[in-house]
Amino acid sequence: MYQPKLKKKRNGVPIMCNGEIVAHAEEFLKDYNPAVLNNPQPVNMEEFAEFYLDLTLDYTYLSHCGLILGRMVFQETERVPIYLPEEKCADYLYAKRGTMLIDNTVLEDWKEYRLRSTIGHECGHWVFHSDFYAYAKSRNNQKRISASGIVGCKKSDIEGGLEIIGKKRLVTDIDWLEHHAKYFSAAILMPRTPFINAVTDLTTTPYFNESDLPEQLSRIFQVSPSSASIRLSQLGFSQYAGKNANNHDERQLNIFRQMPGTL
């Protein structure tokens, strides 16, 4: 399996620009299944997580309101917080290191792209932050970071509505850790090389309609149209990003383009 070599701060937080995250994602895919880099197609995220990264996927309720979409377990523990809807109370679950917990609400709305982006996000934490979270307990100065060897990701961390993206600034270590995971998810779901190839193919067809481009890309890579729009902006196709969105979304995409840490 591909092992990324990472520069890290003294406290263990990786130091990466977006281009490095993209390059690591393509190296992972090249090792996992080179075909996904040759032809635009959706990556089998469950297979990538379970059979390539050797993670265990489990599905449960992680909160009472669907706030937490995923948890990655870096140390064996009996204290993973979950929610029992029938009993209407919180409880704890035993989980081994390498367990990815997905909230059941991700499955209930029948939007496969939410499951795929959640898996991609938690995979990002695993490949980049595994050592950091596994040994966070021994670092007394990491008061804001979970010392239990578990990371829980909220809906805003994974899906991050455009209005949240526009306001978000990468200041704290947690901001950067979530940014790494989120950007890795986009880079795995929509790899740079096949994504650019797909854009080139679609924009050179005789009947090309730029307002349809995000929707077409979303079908090819099995992501949401808004994710495809953001990826267009990240990879230098800002002229096509948000073309099928309303004026509010277009304004938020403009904010996103100016956000530190984006391409």
Side-chain angles (χ1 to χ4, degrees), residues 68-88:
I68 306 296
L69 297 188
R71 288 191 186 276
M72 193 69 239
V73 180
F74 299 94
Q75 292 178 332
E76 184 174 349
T77 179
E78 297 178 352
R79 304 284 291 179
V80 180
I82 61 170
Y83 180 71
L84 304 176
E86 294 183 0
E87 291 80 359
K88 296 183 179 180

Side-chain angles (χ1 to χ4, degrees), residues 2-17 20-21 24 127-129 131-132 173 176-177 180:
Y2 172 69
Q3 298 290 340
K5 295 181 180 179
L6 306 175
K7 296 179 182 178
K8 298 180 182 180
K9 296 168 61 176
R10 292 183 63 182
N11 63 4
V13 174
I15 302 172
M16 295 182 291
C17 68
E20 289 174 302
I21 297 174
H24 287 310
V127 300
F128 293 139
H129 310 142
D131 290 342
F132 176 83
D173 286 340
W176 280 105
L177 293 170
H180 295 159

Side-chain angles (χ1 to χ4, degrees), residues 113-184:
Y113 64 78
R114 295 189 71 213
L115 172 62
R116 291 167 50 74
S117 63
T118 301
I119 293 175
H121 187 96
E122 300 306 326
C123 285
H125 279 307
W126 180 257
V127 300
F128 293 139
H129 310 142
S130 184
D131 290 342
F132 176 83
Y133 279 109
Y135 299 108
K137 194 171 185 178
S138 64
R139 291 190 292 271
N140 295 328
N141 63 328
Q142 297 298 314
K143 294 180 180 179
R144 293 189 61 199
I145 297 179
S146 171
S148 61
I150 306 170
V151 60
C153 299
K154 297 179 290 186
K155 182 181 294 187
S156 59
D157 295 326
I158 296 173
E159 298 181 348
L162 294 175
E163 68 284 354
I164 295 173
I165 292 174
K167 296 176 182 177
K168 191 69 173 177
R169 293 295 180 268
L170 305 176
V171 177
T172 68
D173 286 340
I174 294 177
D175 292 340
W176 280 105
L177 293 170
E178 291 303 325
H179 174 74
H180 295 159
K182 187 168 186 176
Y183 210 95
F184 179 80

Side-chain angles (χ1 to χ4, degrees), residues 87-101:
E87 291 80 359
K88 296 183 179 180
C89 68
D91 200 355
Y92 291 99
L93 179 74
Y94 164 79
K96 298 184 298 181
R97 169 177 163 81
T99 298
M100 183 189 298
L101 296 168

Side-chain angles (χ1 to χ4, degrees), residues 3-75:
Q3 298 290 340
K5 295 181 180 179
L6 306 175
K7 296 179 182 178
K8 298 180 182 180
K9 296 168 61 176
R10 292 183 63 182
N11 63 4
V13 174
I15 302 172
M16 295 182 291
C17 68
N18 294 336
E20 289 174 302
I21 297 174
V22 169
H24 287 310
E26 292 213 347
E27 288 298 325
F28 273 110
L29 291 175
K30 188 185 300 181
D31 192 46
Y32 157 65
N33 180 7
V36 300
L37 295 176
N38 297 328
N39 299 298
Q41 60 185 287
V43 176
N44 187 328
M45 292 307 302
E46 290 174 283
E47 181 182 88
F48 176 78
E50 291 188 281
F51 298 106
Y52 180 72
L53 296 182
D54 199 27
L55 301 176
T56 299
L57 271 61
D58 200 358
Y59 300 85
T60 185
Y61 287 99
L62 298 175
S63 67
H64 72 287
C65 60
L67 176 66
I68 306 296
L69 297 188
R71 288 191 186 276
M72 193 69 239
V73 180
F74 299 94
Q75 292 178 332

